[in-house]
Amino acid sequence: MGKNKLVKIPSSEGIRGARRTQMTDRGPIMGIIPPHMMKELAKRGDQRQRDMALKTLLISERIRGRRDAFAQVYVAMPAGKKCINDYDAKNKEGEEYLPGNAIQDPESSNDMAVKEAYNGASATYDMYHDVFERNSIDDKGMCIISSLHYGEKYNNAFWNGRQMVYGDGDGEFFNRFTISIDVIGHELTHGVTEYEAGLYYSDQSGALNESISDVFGSLLKQRVLNQKADEADWLIGEGLFTSKVNGKALRSMIEPGTAYDDPKLGKDPQPAHMDDYQDMPHSEDNGGVHINSGIPNRAFCVTAIEIGGYAWEKAGKIWYATLSRLKETSDFQDAANKTFQAAGELFGDGSMEQQAVKKGWDTVGISVVPSAMRARAAAGAAAGATE
Amino acid sequence: MLIHFERTGGFAGLRTAVTLNTDTLPQDEARKLQEMADAAGFFNLPEKFPLPKRGADYFVYRLTVEKDGRKHTVEVSEPAVPAELRPLFQYLMKHAR
């Protein structure tokens, strides 16, 4: 290989491909850190550790005239590299002002919103990378971009298809939108869902999209706080309301409809069961996507608590594995069937985990239809048609 | 001129709305509203703007204006809000609850 040639690997391989690379080099090259550990650091350490490890490996490879180990690391580096950028929208509103002015060293900023957005995005990257083996939003290591101070007294955070955007809140009802780490996980997950499932953002597929963002937003919070499923508060947007609002958060995944009840803002409208599903016109919240998400939210919650332990380890993996199987028009029933199927593949048909998924959806009034039963029903219908 | 404005969606999914009648507003306020609606060419705007293909948690706006026997409603999601309509939306949001 030429001296300065990069190793080009198919993007579909990514870090997972690189991780499968057999590490054959066991002998210590330099100092007390063996090269296989150095390679791990080069792949998974923080920025400083990676730079140090890569430099060390590079020097040692040069000394020993071997390039194989270095090549392995070099292949893994671009894929495993975490890239997070913050921008200041300078209180301007409108897509044409995004992303805004680049902020230097966001991790050490004195601006709380900048720091929270950086740390939240970083923790979300880590969760997707370490738990779900995903390399950033697109699984190809794309830079995670956040714009802060969007608009004036702007009461929202959103994903615009390319980046996350956060308002400062009006200070009357809302604090800054970075204050709650699950909001950051929620927004970033919209990007992941867009790449994996492409769920239409309206009506039931939109509510499912919203729920997936709440699920991984809550998992992020639980992972950062090191909480097991039965220890978590399962709240979305805790701390986002000012003290003037009578409410603990924006949504409760465990008890949808109970997050707030305020004289000015009204009562949390989320249903907790299909019996209370709200058909809404498209002009209202895209057909109630932030309303009906309460139903699949609760299904996940019940599943995770039923399984026990850390929710991201099993329930989270089942939901993540389901993402790429959903299509644009998937509804709650489709999600129920596919999470059940994914649980069977990950943990075995009839496993405790699969039964927990069934219980989760049963609780909200959705009966899982196993794929074998669907196939039999389809075969029966076809046979009936030919008779 | 009668105006009914509502904003739904967003991360919080809250509904915020206001109804204003220029006949009952102070004169300068009424004139300002009228000017903003005219500047936006409101009655010539499409009823529905195309939905954004990507993105999530955008605000969804719905604005109805009645004037001189004419009535027109516009529905639009945040990223598609035309620049000329934005000042009117921002003004109405200051009055909305």
Side-chain angles (χ1 to χ4, degrees), chain A residues 7 24 60 95 104 161 285 295 328-329:
Chain A
V7 181
T24 50
S60 57
E95 290 279 319
Q104 303 303 318
D285 186 27
I295 294 168
E328 289 96 330
T329 54

Side-chain angles (χ1 to χ4, degrees), chain A residues 23-229:
Chain A
M23 298 293 181
T24 50
D25 195 346
R26 296 278 178 226
I29 293 178
M30 194 168 190
I32 53 163
I33 305 177
H36 66 271
M37 206 181 278
M38 204 59 94
K39 282 171 201 158
E40 286 303 298
L41 266 180
K43 280 191 288 180
R44 298 173 206 224
D46 62 27
Q47 188 67 52
R48 192 187 54 80
Q49 290 167 331
R50 282 207 305 269
D51 291 349
M52 180 274 292
L54 194 64
K55 201 182 273 176
T56 308
L57 280 165
L58 183 59
I59 293 166
S60 57
E61 288 307 309
R62 273 186 197 142
I63 290 169
R64 298 179 60 147
R66 286 204 324 253
R67 299 203 169 268
D68 56 335
F70 175 56
Q72 285 169 9
V73 171
Y74 208 84
V75 169
M77 271 297 285
K81 198 174 174 192
K82 180 158 60 175
C83 170
I84 294 167
N85 295 322
D86 280 7
Y87 291 81
D88 188 344
K90 299 265 179 196
N91 297 112
K92 295 268 203 260
E93 190 179 326
E95 290 279 319
E96 65 271 32
Y97 297 108
L98 292 173
N101 296 356
I103 297 166
Q104 303 303 318
D105 303 322
E107 66 271 41
S108 49
S109 173
N110 292 325
D111 182 332
M112 286 300 282
V114 170
K115 203 169 182 168
E116 285 163 349
Y118 183 89
N119 290 335
S122 179
T124 313
Y125 177 95
D126 290 345
M127 176 180 76
Y128 274 108
H129 182 270
D130 300 348
V131 180
F132 306 118
E133 298 196 4
R134 183 182 189 84
N135 183 18
S136 188
I137 293 168
D138 61 350
D139 200 17
K140 291 176 187 173
M142 77 182 260
C143 282
I144 299 169
I145 297 170
S146 308
S147 291
L148 291 313
H149 308 304
Y150 179 79
E152 282 177 32
K153 300 187 172 189
Y154 192 77
N155 284 338
N156 201 18
F158 62 90
W159 162 256
N160 79 346
R162 296 178 302 279
Q163 64 158 102
M164 296 179 280
V165 184
Y166 299 93
D168 294 330
D170 56 8
E172 189 186 353
F173 298 108
F174 288 97
N175 292 312
R176 62 182 184 277
F177 273 69
T178 50
I179 202 166
S180 189
I181 194 166
D182 50 81
V183 177
I184 295 167
H186 175 109
E187 294 309 331
L188 199 148
T189 298
H190 275 308
V192 174
T193 300
E194 220 162 76
Y195 278 93
E196 290 297 324
L199 287 163
Y200 287 138
Y201 200 65
S202 73
D203 304 309
Q204 213 172 104
S205 58
L208 184 58
N209 188 329
E210 269 305 309
S211 172
I212 289 162
S213 273
D214 279 353
V215 162
F216 289 95
S218 181
L219 290 181
L220 173 68
K221 180 178 171 181
Q222 292 171 40
R223 189 162 184 262
V224 166
L225 296 175
N226 195 36
Q227 288 174 332
K228 292 184 173 151

